[in-house]
Amino acid sequence: MKSAPVDFVALALLSSASAIVGNTRWTVPWDGWKEPPVIWGMLVGDPSSGKSPALDAVLDPIREIDNALGAQYQTERQEWSDKDEVAKLILSKWKADAKVAIQDGDTPRMKPAEADAGAPPVRGRVRITDATTEKVGELLRDGWRGLLLSRDELSGWLGSMDRYSGGGDRPFWLEAFGGRSYSVDRKNSPEPIIVDHLSVSILGGTQPDKLDSLLVRSDDDGLLARFMVVFPEPAPMRRPAATLDTAKVLAAMERLRALEPAVDDQGNKRPFFLHLQEPAQVALHEFRLQCAAWEAEASGLMKSHVGKLPGLSVRVATVLALMDSVAVGEEPVTSISAAHMGRACHYVGEHLRRHAYRAYGAASQPQELRAASRVAEIIQREGLRQVSTRDIQRRGLVGLQSAKEIGPAFAALESAAWISAIQQPAGPGRPSKIYAVNPRLEGMK
């Protein structure tokens, strides 16, 4: 895996699988509460941290499924086109015969069923990389199941949303997390696109400085808080000791793709509802109490994110339970056990919450403390013995590009005894300030 952290692979797998399951399965923790399995995953790391290899390893099987659906569509489209050509001939002959019959005072015969080839086939889709909300609405209306939006870089996509121009795209994507019914207005048609279940899973990566910039200028409308985030320490460079078995992943994804939805009394598709077993309900309730305690201590975007952890745990439990069953060739589960609920609560609450705090929690700090934290990470990661303003400037990081931005960060680190200024000999020009790093920090990595 080119030294990709396992956290990247795990969250990418969960997000992708959630899109494959889509609207075929929803979970009901108890009456009045329904959760679709939609998971938004964000991988945070520097350019060389292994995000792309992790994404490729998981998305390659998804591409194969998409390619197979495309080939199937081409075959079905050709068969329909042949049938449509014949239908047009039959229809033309029927119209001519009907015209003669009317002229002769006779009753025309009924239009034959063969005169209509029916609706053309719809191309199945699993994954998109970019599309207008109108196009996404069309794909979900026609495909019903759900979609995966995958982006190598999420910050550009998120930052491009204008929340205030006629509503922009943000309301659409906020709804895409909940899977509820939604209507999309079309520019060139008075009729809106009606989507039964607006369900889109999202997966992609971003760099820490781009996320910092996004967090600083973002309004807390809940969009960013919906993402589950992994922000691991960089994995050491070494030869891969193991690789992801993409053939096994593909087989599991195809089994998930074979899941069928339920049907209501009118013959319309609807999600098959998985219910929590009683011990699983107990585990979830205990987790909700713990989340309430965490939420009381949090602030800003992190507070909003913690408030969504119970619902996220239900979604993760759903995907874990279904993945476990298809991975060993068993029949898909029809309820959620305490074991799966417990695993999900631990993963979301104990593991991912810490990653989210690293990514989101700093957004509530003053700018100088956020900047100091970034400089401290650089010092520790690179094992620096000395550091200067120019050392930080040349990295081109958002919020650390000028002496005016870097100065307060160095002052905060100096106050915390991380660094101390080195006296420079007098000379022509303004000397660059150089700081010595506290040698005691070596054991704090």
Side-chain angles (χ1 to χ4, degrees):
M1 287 298 300
K2 300 182 181 180
S3 301
V6 68
D7 280 312
F8 285 161
V9 180
L11 185 53
L13 193 58
L14 280 171
S15 295
S16 300
S18 77
I20 298 291
V21 174
N23 293 315
T24 65
R25 299 293 186 277
W26 283 32
T27 295
V28 180
W30 42 74
D31 289 345
W33 181 7
K34 298 174 184 176
E35 287 285 347
V38 174
I39 292 175
W40 290 4
M42 182 186 294
L43 318 184
V44 182
D46 290 323
S48 59
S49 60
K51 299 189 301 295
S52 293
L55 288 170
D56 287 341
V58 174
L59 291 176
D60 281 348
I62 302 296
R63 293 187 187 100
E64 289 197 40
I65 293 175
D66 248 339
N67 291 338
L69 289 172
Q72 178 183 341
Y73 169 74
Q74 291 299 330
T75 300
E76 292 174 350
R77 180 75 189 191
Q78 185 58 56
E79 292 174 351
W80 178 85
S81 295
D82 294 343
K83 185 179 177 182
D84 189 51
E85 286 295 323
V86 174
K88 288 176 180 177
L89 294 174
I90 295 173
L91 180 62
S92 178
K93 178 68 167 59
W94 173 77
K95 287 181 177 179
D97 291 345
K99 184 177 181 180
V100 171
I102 293 172
Q103 290 174 345
D104 293 343
D106 297 329
T107 301
R109 66 187 180 92
M110 296 292 293
K111 184 171 68 173
E114 295 81 3
D116 185 357
V122 175
R123 188 198 188 286
R125 294 288 294 273
V126 174
R127 173 178 174 258
I128 56 174
T129 56
D130 192 19
T132 63
T133 54
E134 182 177 328
K135 184 61 178 178
V136 174
E138 289 178 358
L139 291 172
L140 290 171
R141 176 198 61 192
D142 297 337
W144 188 84
R145 192 182 190 104
L147 291 168
L148 173 69
L149 170 69
S150 65
R151 305 272 300 202
D152 285 339
E153 177 54 64
L154 283 171
S155 64
W157 174 73
L158 287 164
S160 68
M161 293 183 193
D162 183 3
R163 190 177 171 193
Y164 299 104
S165 97
D169 290 344
R170 294 181 80 96
F172 175 88
W173 291 109
L174 286 165
E175 291 295 328
F177 186 78
R180 289 176 285 274
S181 176
Y182 195 82
S183 62
V184 182
D185 292 323
R186 291 188 278 189
K187 296 179 181 178
N188 301 318
S189 173
E191 295 299 322
I193 301 167
I194 306 299
V195 182
D196 287 345
H197 296 289
L198 184 61
S199 299
V200 184
S201 297
I202 300 175
L203 173 63
T206 194
Q207 298 174 31
D209 59 316
K210 292 182 178 180
L211 179 60
D212 284 351
S213 176
L214 194 65
L215 290 170
V216 168
R217 68 172 187 265
S218 174
D219 292 311
D220 185 13
D221 61 354
L223 187 69
L224 278 170
R226 284 162 164 76
F227 279 91
M228 295 202 300
V229 179
V230 284
F231 189 2
E233 293 293 335
M237 295 296 292
R238 58 180 176 228
R239 292 177 59 186
T243 57
L244 189 67
D245 189 342
T246 54
K248 190 171 183 179
V249 173
L250 176 59
M253 292 293 187
E254 287 176 334
R255 293 191 194 105
L256 289 178
R257 182 72 186 170
L259 292 173
E260 293 290 341
V263 178
D264 64 20
D265 294 338
Q266 288 73 44
N268 300 313
K269 295 178 183 177
R270 71 159 179 81
F272 182 94
F273 295 117
L274 305 177
H275 293 264
L276 265 62
Q277 298 171 12
E278 174 63 25
Q281 290 182 337
V282 172
L284 176 59
H285 181 63
E286 291 176 352
F287 183 60
R288 292 175 72 214
L289 295 176
Q290 177 62 73
C291 288
W294 288 332
E295 189 175 0
E297 298 173 355
S299 61
L301 187 63
M302 192 63 194
K303 189 180 189 73
S304 181
H305 178 70
V306 170
K308 291 174 174 55
L309 294 185
L312 290 174
S313 70
V314 174
R315 297 174 184 224
V316 170
T318 304
V319 178
L320 285 177
L322 291 167
M323 287 177 65
D324 279 354
S325 61
V326 301
V328 295
E330 295 178 350
E331 288 295 313
V333 295
T334 56
S335 62
I336 304 298
S337 69
H340 285 114
M341 195 69 247
R343 283 168 56 193
C345 291
H346 180 80
Y347 177 64
V348 170
E350 298 300 330
H351 188 71
L352 289 188
R353 181 174 59 89
R354 302 178 193 282
H355 285 260
Y357 184 79
R358 186 181 180 200
Y360 296 152
S364 61
Q365 296 176 339
Q367 170 62 26
E368 63 270 18
L369 292 185
R370 290 199 302 271
S373 178
R374 295 300 308 283
V375 174
E377 284 189 8
I378 293 169
I379 290 171
Q380 285 195 301
R381 185 169 65 245
E382 300 181 15
L384 299 180
R385 298 290 184 271
Q386 292 183 351
V387 64
S388 69
T389 301
R390 289 174 187 167
D391 289 335
I392 303 302
Q393 278 181 310
R394 63 183 174 80
R395 288 168 166 80
L397 302 174
V398 173
L400 291 171
Q401 296 180 353
S402 68
K404 186 177 180 180
E405 293 172 319
I406 297 170
F410 279 175
L413 290 175
E414 193 170 17
S415 175
W418 273 62
I419 58 176
S420 58
I422 299 176
Q423 292 294 329
Q424 299 296 301
R430 187 175 180 180
S432 174
K433 259 194 171 181
I434 300 177
Y435 294 84
V437 177
N438 189 336
R440 293 184 180 180
L441 297 176
E442 287 190 42
M444 294 173 56
K445 290 185 181 181

